[in-house]
Amino acid sequence: MRRLLLIPILILSAPSQALTLEESVAEAINHHPSILQKYASFEAAVRYKRAAVGDYLPQVKLYGGIGYENVRYNSGRRVDTELERSEIGVRVSQLIFDGFRTTSEIDRLDFEKEAERLGLLSDAENLSLEVSQVYLELSMANKIVELSERNIKEHQEVLKNIESRKDKGLSSESDVAQVRARLATSQSGYLSARNNQMDKQARYYDLVGQLPKDLHDPQPDFNYVPTSLPDAIRLALDNHPEIDAAILDTQAANAQHEREKSDFWPTLSLELQANKNDNIGGIEGPDEDARAMLMLSYDLFNGGSTTDRTEAASWRYQQSLAIRNNTQKQVEEGTRLAWNAYEFIGQQRGFYRENVDQAVKAEQGYNKQFELGRRSLLDVLDAKVEVFLARKHYITAHYNYKIAAYRLINATGYLMESFRVDTPEAWMEEK
């Protein structure tokens, strides 16, 4: 089966053409600013982690300076010289132990990077659902506009017929007025349907970046639709990227707590330094030295800042736990709501289908009875309106059922996979 590959860069939009739902989703994810913003945040997190890894490597610094120096005494001996002092040197330091600060910082940034990646996937999943919903709502709006146009034509035909009957003395002016009133109502309903249609077109353009044209009738992959509420909740809790991202945020907060505790430990490093100086300390001539030293630094007192930062990090960890628990509750609630909509709209759709069948039979019966003179044109028009409303309700339920199916798949975190839309390698590879 063909799969659509996404590229997380902004490219020029192709000319407007008919897009399937899957292609619309891919187009939206390629270009929508919210995804590009989230991708940039992910790439920034990747770079922050790389920067932290650099602390494991030797740090090399070159320094130098030149300027005026006035020295009156050097080691108690009067010198009283004015010289042009110059310095140049190189310092190499290698961290040996810092109380696990670097290790904890790398862990924290790695968790945050992965949380950003999963947040990117979650945003893409939610954008896919938005595109699915507006695609189906626009398809539904198109059908209702067509249905409303046909309803107006039927009202106009009845009006023409009943005006002809009035001219022959077979109908009254009140009958004509009643049909005209109903025609005006049908025309008003058509304008409302057109307004809704254009609203959906604008929303589609906002998400996809193209004007809709010749939309297809998508079909959810019901292999991804859970068969029961417990299965849906289990899949959601096991797979939803928002939950995984919240768990990683908790692990990042724990790593930050460990990082802050590192200041209770000493720092040990190896330093190599070489200098080539001139005119130092009031003594004219070169001054060169080189040394290799094991340096120990231990912060004995800093006003309690380390303790305060450690306690603050501990509370941040508690905050992240609460956010994780709340995220799980929200995902479970969303799954339950999606399941309820899927179940009840599915049942409604069956009743609306029966409603259409029976309304059509009634209309056909009224037409036959009208031909026999047992029904009036107003009765026939009432039957046509019933058919119109029944079909409108069925169309609404039909597309809402599909929307509910996509919503349920989204609740379990498998919507993009069900569309056969591949995420870019840049979103997936270990960095």
Side-chain angles (χ1 to χ4, degrees), residues 121-122 124-126 224 226 232 235-242 244 331 335 406-418:
L121 291 175
S122 179
E125 278 277 323
N126 293 334
Y224 286 90
L235 287 171
L237 295 179
D238 289 346
N239 183 69
H240 203 287
E242 286 187 10
D244 292 336
V331 168
T335 304
Y406 285 126
R407 181 181 167 194
L408 184 55
I409 298 172
N410 168 262
T412 62
Y414 285 104
L415 186 57
M416 284 201 302
E417 182 176 322
S418 75

Side-chain angles (χ1 to χ4, degrees), residues 12-32:
L12 295 177
S13 298
S16 179
Q17 58 183 341
L19 295 178
T20 65
L21 173 56
E22 293 79 6
E23 290 169 338
S24 298
V25 168
E27 192 71 15
I29 294 176
N30 271 333
H31 302 297
H32 200 275

Side-chain angles (χ1 to χ4, degrees), residues 262-276:
S262 67
D263 287 343
F264 289 121
W265 292 80
T267 299
L268 184 64
S269 62
L270 176 65
E271 290 192 4
L272 307 176
Q273 185 171 344
N275 303 299
K276 182 177 176 59

Side-chain angles (χ1 to χ4, degrees), residues 51-206:
V53 173
D55 289 342
Y56 277 138
L57 302 177
Q59 309 296 306
V60 182
K61 292 184 179 180
L62 178 67
Y63 61 92
I66 187 171
Y68 168 79
E69 181 186 64
N70 183 341
V71 179
R72 299 188 65 188
Y73 291 92
N74 188 334
S75 300
R77 182 171 59 91
R78 183 178 178 86
V79 178
D80 196 12
T81 61
E82 297 182 4
L83 298 173
E84 183 180 84
R85 175 178 176 141
S86 65
E87 298 180 16
I88 187 170
V90 62
R91 180 185 296 114
V92 180
S93 62
Q94 174 62 60
L95 179 67
I96 297 176
F97 178 74
D98 64 351
F100 311 105
R101 182 181 185 83
T102 300
T103 302
S104 299
E105 180 69 356
I106 291 173
D107 288 343
R108 181 183 73 85
L109 293 172
D110 191 47
F111 290 137
E112 289 188 353
K113 179 209 73 173
E114 187 64 11
E116 288 286 351
R117 187 184 73 84
L118 290 172
L120 175 60
L121 291 175
S122 179
D123 283 5
E125 278 277 323
N126 293 334
L127 181 61
S128 300
L129 178 61
E130 286 188 70
V131 174
S132 305
Q133 183 168 340
V134 74
Y135 193 101
L136 288 165
E137 287 177 347
L138 181 54
S139 299
M140 176 172 61
N142 292 340
K143 295 288 186 183
I144 292 178
V145 167
E146 294 174 6
L147 194 63
S148 298
E149 289 173 342
R150 186 166 62 181
N151 186 45
I152 290 175
K153 289 179 181 179
E154 290 179 345
H155 277 72
Q156 289 171 337
E157 290 173 359
V158 171
L159 177 61
K160 183 179 179 181
N161 197 335
I162 204 165
E163 285 178 337
S164 176
R165 291 171 64 84
K166 184 184 79 71
D167 293 340
K168 297 175 183 179
L170 300 176
S171 293
S172 64
E173 184 66 36
S174 61
D175 290 339
V176 175
Q178 189 174 9
V179 175
R180 284 177 178 168
R182 294 187 182 185
L183 174 60
T185 299
S186 67
Q187 290 170 330
S188 175
Y190 167 76
L191 291 178
S192 177
R194 281 284 292 147
N195 180 51
N196 182 59
Q197 180 189 46
M198 298 189 72
D199 286 348
K200 300 306 178 185
Q201 288 175 350
R203 180 60 179 156
Y204 179 92
Y205 181 82
D206 177 64

